[in-house]
Amino acid sequence: MMNCCGLVTVKNEPVPLKSVAVDVRVQGHVATVTSTLLYVNGEERPLEAVFVFPLPGECALCHFSAKLGDTEVVAKLQDKQKAREQYDDALSSGHQAFLLEESDQSPDMFQLNVGSLPPGESAAITLVYISELAMQADDALRFCLPAVLNPRYTPQEMDRSKMATVTSVPAGMVPYTLALSAHLSSPQPISKVESNCALEPLVYLNADKTQATVSLSSGHVFDRDVELLLYYQDAHEPTAIVEGGQDSAEPGSLMGDPVVMLSFYPEFPAAVTSSLATCGEFIFVVDRSGSMDCRMHSGKDAKMRIESARDTLLLLLKSLPMGCFFNIYGFGSRFESFFPKSVEYKQNTMDEALQKVNGMKADMGGTEILQPLKHIYSQPCIPSHPRQLFIFTDGEVGNTKQVVDLVKLNVNSHRCFSFGIGQGASTALINGLAQEGSGHAQFITGTDRMQPKVMQSLRYALQPAVKDISVVWDLPDGVSVTTLSPPLKVLFHGQRALLYAQLKGESSGNPEGSVTIQYNLLEETVKNQLGFCLKPTGDTGVTLHRLGARALIRSLEVVERAGGPEAAALREELLQLSLQSGVSSTHTAFIAIHKGSGQAVQGPLLRRTIPTPMLSGSSSMSVFMSGFGGFGGYGCLAGRSAGPIEKARKKRGDRMGAKRTAETFEEGCYHMLDTKDILDKKVQEPESLTDPLLQLISLQKATGSWEMDSSMAKVLEKSDDELAKLMPVGADKAVWATTLALIWLYGLRLEARDEWQFVAMKAASWIQAQKVGCVSQCVQAGNALLGCQVQQKTLGL
């Protein structure tokens, strides 16, 4: 049984995927990624290899080819069902074939079938995709090459026969390496490049530092997501880039007309960014599946994901404004909420919630996020309190499209902020929730701390909402525009907004155009304008065309899934758009066939499932994974009889039947792993807070004040007598304690300001509301007690 797990062959030889080489070409905010996967069949019989792997959910997959010896076969994009039939027919006829298709459930999962690979032969598979680079809070552009594809939990009501099989192994057992090099080109100078992996030094290619190269250190084992953070000077400059149409494409078509990409960076006035809402309904939805019992990273002091989530909820609960409403949901195979409905935020409700947060464990089974969302949306909204969802998950779900569609359906009643925890979180899910929910997405990977990223999103949620967003084009006579991106529904301060549009027609005169984004903010109208040239010079490629096509394909797919009388027509429109642009979709697949001897395969093809790494911090999970050889490593000997085409098609049905049996086994393993029933692992009680910052924040009242007691003295590392002795005469004890807390934060924990900024703002507001005259004396005495030199103005007093 162990030999059929997909990790080794029947002779205990390594799986056929030997290495992965990646070339990244970055132009400004867009990356073109070329990945080459080398397969070798070291067995005595023909082999079919199956590799399920992740790609960024928002990328445009646009090229697939295979090289066998000196012969290269370039794949064609076809209707998915036709491509599958051609694949079966080719294998039955003795040819080599390659099939690459996107998962029906999630656009960030792909399955590659390599067959029939003769004994001793190698095949180099090359795929190319284009992706936008996400803007981070510190203005870095983030490129991520996902390596980890965790087993996706499949809800009971879903058809498991349609789910891609994921084979995962502990990170240290991944049997292939990665070579990655990146060429960077930017209109602005490149300041630096950082990574979660070891890099060779950055090499500049010109004097103004607008071009550079960087690469991973040699021998890198592809056992984690590879993240590059690119820093440009003046990265927030708005841009408009026009790409000319293809001469070979039909005029008037998407690929034949010019396409423009607009990048806007709204900068709000200081009065807006400093004013925070005092109302709202805040609902925190926290993943409590068994996988949340993994560590955040592989470092020595890594916390469990659920532990980091508890710390984050503490910060959130302390940072909410008085008078708002809130609730907390935990979900796994089932879900539960702290309160039957959202409650008003005050001292007693905050205390009750914190007590329940301290008892939260990763003990709720699988990852079923759809049902709690349905329940939340069934609750009536609270008048004058806009609903804001904060969703925390490691993203291991199998029904991504259903979840995202549900959020889109309810977008008019809420905003959704999403957080992907740990490596392997689905980019399609996390980004999709935020995009369709008019919110913002964050990923917490490696040694990232969850708290500052979550607090940044809370700031967005508390800022005044931008209303009535419109895009107005000013184009010469004879030129019109068709927007390819979905309408802009939300703008945040300092966050990039991207728009793609197709320019139609010809202008005999003025070659210039402009576009204006207009919106209302606190009853004032704001305008941002960009100009651009309608006719770019030289060969500009088709990168923006394909990203624009990808944006349109995703929008139409959401509408198609909603059903209705237009679904059939939409499917045909999607199919033609995908084929015309060369960008894969739900309805298409890449198929490549290399005609060999033409002799039908005799006997069964060996089927080998290539593993992807699954990172875990739980020793018991690692033991489980090692003992069973990883998920999806079953049914590897998929029979395929020699014979006519009809038999080959029948065999696809046989394989799917075997796959259904296998996935039932996978589902059982995943459930057992999540609940840890078979591991008999005792769930540890939550650890007491050891971080002095979190200890201090845990003592704050809902109003923003602190009380003078022994717990406060312990955090400040002073005795009760010292605190009492230095308190100014006539000062209120709570004002004195709250002033000391502020001085401690600003004087000793300034580097963590992103985490405690709202706590401090509440404290300063509370002190001001007391209207006492001893604040200056309290600040002076507090500085002397704590050995700080913080100015009263700095404290907001």
Side-chain angles (χ1 to χ4, degrees):
M1 184 67 180
M2 290 291 292
N3 288 336
C4 293
C5 290
L7 303 180
V8 294
T9 68
V10 291
K11 293 184 177 181
N12 290 324
E13 295 172 345
V15 292
L17 180 59
K18 295 295 185 182
S19 64
V20 180
V22 178
D23 178 72
V24 183
R25 299 276 164 169
V26 175
Q27 291 183 298
H29 292 207
V30 174
T32 301
V33 184
T34 303
S35 295
T36 302
L37 298 84
L38 179 64
Y39 292 86
V40 178
N41 180 11
E43 304 198 28
E44 297 174 356
R45 284 191 287 175
L47 182 72
E48 179 182 20
V50 181
F51 186 32
V52 179
F53 59 96
L55 286 179
E58 65 282 359
C59 78
L61 182 61
C62 56
H63 174 87
F64 173 50
S65 61
K67 189 173 184 180
L68 301 102
D70 295 328
T71 304
E72 183 177 21
V73 186
V74 178
K76 294 182 180 179
L77 197 59
Q78 302 248 15
D79 179 284
K80 183 180 286 188
Q81 188 56 43
K82 292 180 180 178
R84 288 172 174 172
E85 292 174 0
Q86 290 178 21
Y87 179 80
D88 281 327
D89 295 348
L91 295 194
S92 297
S93 302
H95 304 313
Q96 292 165 323
F98 307 86
L99 180 67
L100 178 63
E101 55 184 299
E102 176 186 313
S103 165
D104 291 333
Q105 279 67 44
S106 182
D108 64 347
M109 285 175 61
F110 287 79
Q111 178 166 309
L112 172 62
N113 289 66
V114 179
S116 140
L117 196 58
E121 186 158 345
S122 63
I125 308 299
T126 298
L127 55 93
V128 180
Y129 67 86
I130 306 165
S131 183
E132 300 163 358
L133 300 180
M135 179 70 77
Q136 304 300 289
D138 61 353
D139 294 344
L141 291 171
R142 179 178 183 263
F143 167 78
C144 181
L145 182 71
V148 178
L149 181 58
N150 293 327
R152 301 293 168 91
Y153 176 83
T154 310
Q156 294 294 327
E157 69 273 10
M158 286 192 66
D159 182 359
R160 294 187 181 91
S161 68
K162 295 181 179 180
M163 294 298 294
T165 301
V166 180
T167 300
S168 298
V169 297
M173 294 179 64
V174 176
Y176 42 87
T177 58
L178 168 70
L180 182 145
S181 61
H183 184 284
L184 316 177
S185 177
S186 169
Q188 296 88 22
I190 302 161
S191 302
K192 61 179 178 178
V193 178
E194 296 179 349
S195 178
N196 63 329
C197 304
L199 293 177
E200 299 292 339
L202 182 69
V203 177
Y204 290 106
L205 303 180
N206 56 2
D208 57 8
K209 297 186 177 181
T210 57
Q211 294 191 36
T213 60
V214 70
S215 61
L216 288 179
S217 298
S218 60
H220 177 82
V221 177
F222 202 9
D223 60 356
R224 76 196 82 169
D225 294 354
V226 177
E227 182 181 72
L228 296 180
L229 296 176
L230 316 178
Y231 292 85
Y232 300 159
Q233 292 182 22
D234 303 321
H236 276 265
E237 287 295 320
T239 58
I241 303 173
V242 179
E243 192 175 76
Q246 285 181 304
D247 293 335
S248 58
E250 181 181 345
S253 67
L254 171 60
M255 302 304 289
D257 285 336
V259 164
V260 59
M261 181 183 77
L262 309 173
S263 300
F264 280 95
Y265 300 88
E267 297 288 347
F268 299 165
V272 172
T273 57
S274 60
S275 65
L276 302 176
T278 57
C279 59
E281 180 191 14
F282 299 89
I283 300 178
F284 307 113
V285 186
V286 183
D287 190 340
R288 288 178 55 184
S289 64
S291 52
M292 289 289 287
D293 209 19
C294 294
R295 296 190 183 278
M296 293 291 293
H297 56 86
S298 58
K300 179 181 177 182
D301 300 323
K303 287 188 173 184
M304 295 298 183
R305 295 174 182 176
I306 191 66
E307 185 184 356
S308 187
R310 287 197 299 263
D311 291 348
T312 302
L313 285 172
L314 165 66
L315 271 178
L316 284 167
L317 286 172
K318 295 292 184 177
S319 301
L320 292 179
M322 288 288 287
C324 72
F325 288 77
F326 78 100
N327 204 349
I328 298 176
Y329 282 72
F331 70 91
S333 300
R334 56 186 175 85
F335 70 91
E336 59 185 36
S337 59
F338 283 13
F339 306 101
K341 62 179 182 179
S342 295
V343 296
E344 185 178 352
Y345 177 76
K346 46 190 177 182
Q347 189 63 45
N348 66 321
T349 56
M350 184 193 77
D351 287 343
E352 183 179 349
L354 284 173
Q355 186 176 3
K356 293 180 178 180
V357 165
N358 289 335
M360 287 177 63
K361 303 180 183 71
D363 58 358
M364 295 183 71
T367 312
E368 173 48 86
I369 193 173
L370 194 64
Q371 297 309 315
L373 288 179
K374 286 181 177 179
H375 182 267
I376 291 169
Y377 294 142
S378 71
Q379 304 291 312
C381 292
I382 301 172
S384 302
H385 287 273
R387 177 172 287 171
Q388 318 257 18
L389 261 65
F390 285 66
I391 299 178
F392 303 84
T393 179
D394 53 19
E396 299 166 0
V397 303
N399 56 345
T400 298
K401 292 180 180 179
Q402 279 185 278
V403 174
V404 171
D405 289 351
L406 179 65
V407 171
K408 180 180 177 63
L409 189 65
N410 293 274
V411 67
N412 293 327
S413 64
H414 81 297
R415 283 199 297 186
C416 183
F417 297 84
S418 55
F419 305 89
I421 303 171
Q423 300 196 65
S426 168
T427 57
L429 175 69
I430 304 304
N431 287 327
L433 288 171
Q435 181 177 339
E436 299 301 344
S438 298
H440 185 244
Q442 300 265 26
F443 289 88
I444 301 103
T445 60
T447 57
D448 291 348
R449 282 178 58 83
M450 188 184 303
Q451 290 84 351
K453 293 195 174 187
V454 174
M455 301 315 289
Q456 181 196 43
S457 291
L458 179 61
R459 174 174 283 279
Y460 290 150
L462 290 171
Q463 284 180 359
V466 169
K467 299 179 180 179
D468 304 324
I469 303 173
S470 63
V471 180
V472 181
W473 298 84
D474 183 11
L475 301 171
D477 292 339
V479 179
S480 62
V481 66
T482 298
T483 304
L484 304 174
S485 304
L488 279 177
K489 295 177 288 190
V490 64
L491 289 174
F492 295 113
H493 170 72
Q495 285 295 305
R496 181 188 62 188
L498 286 180
L499 280 177
Y500 298 93
Q502 177 182 353
L503 302 174
K504 297 182 176 181
E506 290 283 345
S507 171
S508 56
N510 183 15
E512 300 293 325
S514 69
V515 61
T516 302
I517 289 187
Q518 181 174 304
Y519 51 89
N520 290 330
L521 184 62
L522 293 181
E523 308 307 322
E524 291 190 12
T525 300
V526 181
K527 294 182 180 181
N528 297 126
Q529 187 177 43
L530 271 178
F532 53 87
C533 178
L534 295 171
K535 296 181 178 180
T537 58
D539 182 9
T540 53
V542 292
T543 299
L544 301 187
H545 282 74
R546 284 174 166 159
L547 285 173
R550 175 67 165 176
L552 183 56
I553 285 170
R554 289 301 176 219
S555 298
L556 293 176
E557 284 177 345
V558 172
V559 178
E560 182 201 17
R561 289 196 297 272
E566 299 179 352
L570 269 177
R571 185 194 186 284
E572 183 60 28
E573 182 180 351
L574 273 165
L575 179 61
Q576 294 306 317
L577 178 60
S578 177
L579 296 176
Q580 178 198 146
S581 63
V583 174
S584 70
S585 70
T586 302
H587 301 302
T588 53
F590 283 100
I591 175 75
I593 298 173
H594 177 240
K595 294 186 178 181
S597 63
Q599 296 179 358
V601 175
Q602 301 298 319
L605 275 176
L606 294 177
R607 197 163 197 246
R608 295 284 176 258
T609 306
I610 312 303
T612 56
M614 187 199 74
L615 297 188
S616 65
S618 167
S619 59
S620 54
M621 182 183 291
S622 297
V623 169
F624 179 90
M625 297 301 295
S626 300
F628 285 83
F631 290 122
Y634 32 67
C636 296
L637 298 177
R640 182 190 296 278
S641 302
I645 292 174
E646 289 76 10
K647 287 188 178 180
R649 289 177 179 159
K650 178 181 182 299
K651 289 302 176 184
R652 172 169 290 276
D654 293 343
R655 290 207 310 277
M656 291 306 293
K659 186 176 177 182
R660 278 191 288 272
T661 303
E663 284 171 337
T664 303
F665 173 74
E666 177 183 15
E667 186 70 10
C669 285
Y670 190 71
H671 177 73
M672 288 187 288
L673 176 64
D674 266 347
T675 59
K676 303 196 171 36
D677 290 337
I678 68 165
L679 299 174
D680 192 28
K681 177 185 175 184
K682 294 181 180 180
V683 180
Q684 296 179 349
E685 291 298 319
E687 298 179 11
S688 59
L689 294 173
T690 56
D691 183 347
L693 173 62
L694 293 178
Q695 290 178 13
L696 180 71
I697 291 174
S698 70
L699 299 174
Q700 189 185 35
K701 300 297 182 182
T703 58
S705 66
W706 273 266
E707 289 184 353
M708 183 60 64
D709 56 20
S710 297
S711 298
M712 181 77 172
K714 183 178 179 180
V715 175
L716 300 179
E717 297 183 330
K718 303 295 178 182
S719 67
D720 291 351
D721 290 341
E722 285 178 293
L723 295 185
K725 183 178 180 181
L726 283 180
M727 184 176 73
V729 177
D732 178 85
K733 285 186 177 181
V735 171
W736 169 235
T738 305
T739 304
L740 285 175
L742 281 173
I743 293 172
W744 189 90
L745 291 172
Y746 279 96
L748 302 175
R749 281 302 180 93
L750 189 60
E751 78 285 352
R753 184 172 182 174
D754 288 344
E755 301 182 32
W756 51 256
Q757 56 182 321
F758 297 111
V759 165
M761 290 171 66
K762 285 177 67 174
S765 296
W766 180 84
I767 291 175
Q768 290 173 333
Q770 306 313 301
K771 300 187 184 304
V772 294
C774 61
V775 174
S776 296
Q777 294 93 316
C778 286
V779 173
Q780 185 176 358
N783 275 317
L785 178 67
L786 298 177
C788 299
Q789 295 181 339
V790 183
Q791 299 297 314
Q792 181 174 334
K793 182 178 180 181
T794 301
L795 301 177
L797 303 176

